[in-house]
Amino acid sequence: MENIYGYTMDMLEDYFTSIGEKKFKASQVYDWLYKKRVNSFDEMTNIGKDIREKLKQDFTMDKIKILTKQKGIDVSKYLFGLFDNNKIEAVLMYHDYGTSLCVSSQVGCNMSCAFCESGRLKKVRNLEAYEIVEQVLLIEEAEGVRISHIVMMGIGEPFDNYDNVIRFINIVNNDKGIAIGSRHITVSTCGIVPKIKEFSKLDKQVNLAISLHASNDELRRKLMPIDKAYPLELLMDTIKEYLRNDGRRVTFEYIMLKDVNDKEENAKELAKLIKGMNAYVNLIPYNETSHIEFKKSSKDTILKFYDILKKNGINVTIRREFGSTVSAACGQLRSNYEEGL
Ligand code: SAH
């Protein structure tokens, strides 16, 4: 049995063709699943009874479970239990321009970034596409809102689960389904070069974010082991290639870690590294966690860093801090839950 929420429109059309039915049934099913949001095949009243029975044999509509929820003023954080009892998180942020949901793509993560809580649990498995789609559906239902933006910045490395992530994007982006525009979807990667190349060929204008966090290889290697496999020069060349397509731009995420990567010389080096690219830098005040010794840079240091980038002609923003009151930083809800906090 397959979970129907993991099926793209194309897959569902092929399914109907394979059982001798018309393709357009796939659109009707999408309408029930994603516009009307029914919870059983029996409610799909414009689909013949025989076909409904067949669907029940071939698919489940089961959803993962919400285990806990924490609500702040402008942020809600959810912990989900999967069918095999693994746990993942998603965070909904309320912005003035809409709502953005940060989804997880794997159970645990193998990238071993030194500052990151999620990676303290090594990868157990990839999420299936339906497990990512259901994070969106369940949170829309629980919060009573429509999600306008999705960022793949929860637990996991999306490009280490490439096929399911692309399938997820196809499902939520489909007009007949949840219909979140591709420009409202952002995939964030620590820099897996071969997958960035593959992503470049995708004919959707999905945003790309790169977790950079350092201005040279020596520093980056200490923070992010992936830099040993794909050093900065190679990464930057790959991103420049990605940017050759019209209308694309890239975001560099840069966590500000006190006395580690926040010096003036780092800012200058960073400016040099990305000068001339259609890119902007998002400076992220580090979210301190109880397990990891890194500290966040002071406001002053962040502003100074910002000024240097600005003076060097780089587009730069400082990320607004969401969720520090509800342990929303990357993987903390799961670890607190397991420790009974
Ligand atoms: N694996 C992907 C996506 C998940 S992490 C990636 O590396 O991009 C999403 C972002 O949050 C990354 O930029 C990550 O480096 C950052 N991050 C991890 N821990 C953080 C923390 N404690 N405070 C602030 N940002 C953090």
Short mmCIF file of all heavy atoms in Angstrom, two decimals, residues 104-130:
data_model
loop_
_atom_site.label_atom_id
_atom_site.label_comp_id
_atom_site.label_asym_id
_atom_site.label_seq_id
_atom_site.Cartn_x
_atom_site.Cartn_y
_atom_site.Cartn_z
N SER A 104 10.88 19.57 7.88
CA SER A 104 12.00 18.63 7.96
C SER A 104 12.00 17.72 6.74
O SER A 104 10.95 17.44 6.16
CB SER A 104 11.88 17.76 9.21
OG SER A 104 12.05 18.52 10.37
N SER A 105 13.20 17.26 6.37
CA SER A 105 13.31 16.37 5.21
C SER A 105 13.91 15.00 5.53
O SER A 105 13.88 14.10 4.70
CB SER A 105 14.14 17.05 4.11
OG SER A 105 15.43 17.37 4.60
N GLN A 106 14.46 14.86 6.73
CA GLN A 106 15.02 13.56 7.13
C GLN A 106 14.81 13.37 8.63
O GLN A 106 14.59 14.34 9.36
CB GLN A 106 16.55 13.52 6.88
CG GLN A 106 16.94 13.65 5.42
CD GLN A 106 18.45 13.61 5.22
OE1 GLN A 106 19.21 14.26 5.93
NE2 GLN A 106 18.89 12.82 4.24
N VAL A 107 14.91 12.11 9.08
CA VAL A 107 14.97 11.85 10.51
C VAL A 107 16.46 11.88 10.86
O VAL A 107 17.21 11.03 10.41
CB VAL A 107 14.39 10.46 10.87
CG1 VAL A 107 14.54 10.20 12.36
CG2 VAL A 107 12.94 10.34 10.44
N GLY A 108 16.87 12.92 11.61
CA GLY A 108 18.30 13.10 11.89
C GLY A 108 19.02 13.67 10.68
O GLY A 108 18.37 14.04 9.68
N CYS A 109 20.33 13.77 10.75
CA CYS A 109 21.10 14.36 9.64
C CYS A 109 22.54 13.88 9.75
O CYS A 109 23.08 13.76 10.84
CB CYS A 109 21.05 15.88 9.73
SG CYS A 109 21.89 16.73 8.37
N ASN A 110 23.16 13.60 8.61
CA ASN A 110 24.54 13.10 8.62
C ASN A 110 25.58 14.15 8.32
O ASN A 110 26.75 13.82 8.15
CB ASN A 110 24.69 11.98 7.58
CG ASN A 110 24.31 10.64 8.17
OD1 ASN A 110 24.13 10.53 9.39
ND2 ASN A 110 24.17 9.64 7.33
N MET A 111 25.20 15.41 8.21
CA MET A 111 26.15 16.42 7.75
C MET A 111 27.11 16.88 8.85
O MET A 111 28.13 17.47 8.57
CB MET A 111 25.42 17.60 7.12
CG MET A 111 24.59 17.22 5.90
SD MET A 111 25.60 16.48 4.57
CE MET A 111 24.76 14.92 4.31
N SER A 112 26.75 16.62 10.12
CA SER A 112 27.65 16.87 11.25
C SER A 112 28.16 18.30 11.39
O SER A 112 29.32 18.51 11.78
CB SER A 112 28.87 15.93 11.20
OG SER A 112 28.45 14.61 11.14
N CYS A 113 27.35 19.28 11.06
CA CYS A 113 27.78 20.67 11.27
C CYS A 113 27.95 20.88 12.78
O CYS A 113 27.09 20.47 13.57
CB CYS A 113 26.75 21.64 10.70
SG CYS A 113 26.53 21.45 8.92
N ALA A 114 29.06 21.52 13.15
CA ALA A 114 29.45 21.58 14.57
C ALA A 114 28.43 22.31 15.45
O ALA A 114 28.28 21.99 16.62
CB ALA A 114 30.81 22.25 14.68
N PHE A 115 27.75 23.29 14.86
CA PHE A 115 26.88 24.18 15.64
C PHE A 115 25.44 23.72 15.69
O PHE A 115 24.60 24.34 16.32
CB PHE A 115 26.91 25.57 14.99
CG PHE A 115 26.74 25.48 13.50
CD1 PHE A 115 25.48 25.31 12.95
CD2 PHE A 115 27.85 25.51 12.65
CE1 PHE A 115 25.31 25.15 11.58
CE2 PHE A 115 27.68 25.36 11.28
CZ PHE A 115 26.43 25.19 10.75
N CYS A 116 25.11 22.64 14.98
CA CYS A 116 23.70 22.32 14.72
C CYS A 116 23.17 21.21 15.62
O CYS A 116 23.76 20.15 15.74
CB CYS A 116 23.52 21.93 13.26
SG CYS A 116 21.81 21.55 12.83
N GLU A 117 22.03 21.49 16.22
CA GLU A 117 21.39 20.54 17.14
C GLU A 117 20.83 19.32 16.40
O GLU A 117 20.93 18.19 16.87
CB GLU A 117 20.26 21.29 17.87
CG GLU A 117 19.53 20.51 18.92
CD GLU A 117 20.29 20.37 20.23
OE1 GLU A 117 21.23 21.16 20.48
OE2 GLU A 117 19.94 19.46 20.99
N SER A 118 20.26 19.57 15.21
CA SER A 118 19.62 18.46 14.47
C SER A 118 20.57 17.32 14.23
O SER A 118 20.21 16.15 14.30
CB SER A 118 19.11 18.94 13.11
OG SER A 118 18.23 20.00 13.25
N GLY A 119 21.82 17.66 13.93
CA GLY A 119 22.79 16.65 13.54
C GLY A 119 23.33 15.84 14.72
O GLY A 119 24.09 14.89 14.53
N ARG A 120 22.92 16.21 15.95
CA ARG A 120 23.34 15.38 17.08
C ARG A 120 22.73 13.99 16.97
O ARG A 120 23.26 13.02 17.48
CB ARG A 120 22.94 16.03 18.41
CG ARG A 120 23.72 17.32 18.69
CD ARG A 120 23.74 17.67 20.17
NE ARG A 120 22.47 17.43 20.80
CZ ARG A 120 22.30 16.73 21.92
NH1 ARG A 120 23.32 16.21 22.54
NH2 ARG A 120 21.09 16.56 22.41
N LEU A 121 21.57 13.92 16.30
CA LEU A 121 21.00 12.62 15.97
C LEU A 121 21.40 12.32 14.53
O LEU A 121 21.02 13.04 13.62
CB LEU A 121 19.48 12.64 16.10
CG LEU A 121 18.75 11.36 15.63
CD1 LEU A 121 19.04 10.20 16.58
CD2 LEU A 121 17.24 11.59 15.53
N LYS A 122 22.18 11.26 14.34
CA LYS A 122 22.59 10.92 12.97
C LYS A 122 21.37 10.48 12.16
O LYS A 122 20.36 10.07 12.71
CB LYS A 122 23.64 9.80 13.01
CG LYS A 122 24.98 10.26 13.53
CD LYS A 122 25.63 11.30 12.61
CE LYS A 122 26.47 12.30 13.37
NZ LYS A 122 25.99 13.68 13.33
N LYS A 123 21.55 10.52 10.85
CA LYS A 123 20.41 10.17 10.00
C LYS A 123 19.92 8.76 10.29
O LYS A 123 20.69 7.80 10.28
CB LYS A 123 20.79 10.29 8.52
CG LYS A 123 19.65 9.91 7.59
CD LYS A 123 19.93 10.29 6.16
CE LYS A 123 20.50 9.13 5.39
NZ LYS A 123 20.63 9.43 3.95
N VAL A 124 18.62 8.66 10.56
CA VAL A 124 18.00 7.35 10.75
C VAL A 124 17.44 6.89 9.41
O VAL A 124 17.64 5.76 8.98
CB VAL A 124 16.88 7.43 11.81
CG1 VAL A 124 16.17 6.09 11.96
CG2 VAL A 124 17.44 7.91 13.15
N ARG A 125 16.76 7.82 8.74
CA ARG A 125 16.26 7.53 7.40
C ARG A 125 15.78 8.82 6.72
O ARG A 125 15.61 9.85 7.38
CB ARG A 125 15.12 6.50 7.43
CG ARG A 125 13.85 6.99 8.12
CD ARG A 125 12.73 5.98 7.91
NE ARG A 125 11.52 6.31 8.64
CZ ARG A 125 10.56 7.11 8.20
NH1 ARG A 125 10.67 7.74 7.02
NH2 ARG A 125 9.48 7.34 8.92
N ASN A 126 15.59 8.73 5.41
CA ASN A 126 14.98 9.84 4.68
C ASN A 126 13.50 9.89 4.97
O ASN A 126 12.88 8.86 5.24
CB ASN A 126 15.14 9.60 3.17
CG ASN A 126 16.55 9.86 2.70
OD1 ASN A 126 17.25 10.71 3.25
ND2 ASN A 126 16.98 9.14 1.68
N LEU A 127 12.90 11.09 4.87
CA LEU A 127 11.45 11.16 4.91
C LEU A 127 10.90 10.82 3.52
O LEU A 127 11.50 11.15 2.50
CB LEU A 127 10.97 12.56 5.30
CG LEU A 127 11.24 13.01 6.73
CD1 LEU A 127 10.50 14.31 7.03
CD2 LEU A 127 10.85 11.94 7.75
N GLU A 128 9.77 10.15 3.52
CA GLU A 128 9.05 9.92 2.28
C GLU A 128 8.36 11.24 1.91
O GLU A 128 8.07 12.06 2.78
CB GLU A 128 7.98 8.84 2.48
CG GLU A 128 8.53 7.49 2.90
CD GLU A 128 9.38 6.85 1.81
OE1 GLU A 128 9.13 7.13 0.61
OE2 GLU A 128 10.29 6.09 2.15
N ALA A 129 8.03 11.40 0.62
CA ALA A 129 7.38 12.64 0.19
C ALA A 129 6.09 12.90 1.00
O ALA A 129 5.84 14.03 1.42
CB ALA A 129 7.07 12.58 -1.30
N TYR A 130 5.31 11.84 1.25
CA TYR A 130 4.04 12.06 1.95
C TYR A 130 4.27 12.61 3.37
O TYR A 130 3.45 13.37 3.88
CB TYR A 130 3.19 10.78 1.98
CG TYR A 130 3.54 9.76 3.04
CD1 TYR A 130 3.04 9.86 4.33
CD2 TYR A 130 4.40 8.69 2.75
CE1 TYR A 130 3.37 8.93 5.31
CE2 TYR A 130 4.73 7.75 3.72
CZ TYR A 130 4.22 7.88 5.01
OH TYR A 130 4.56 6.98 5.97
#
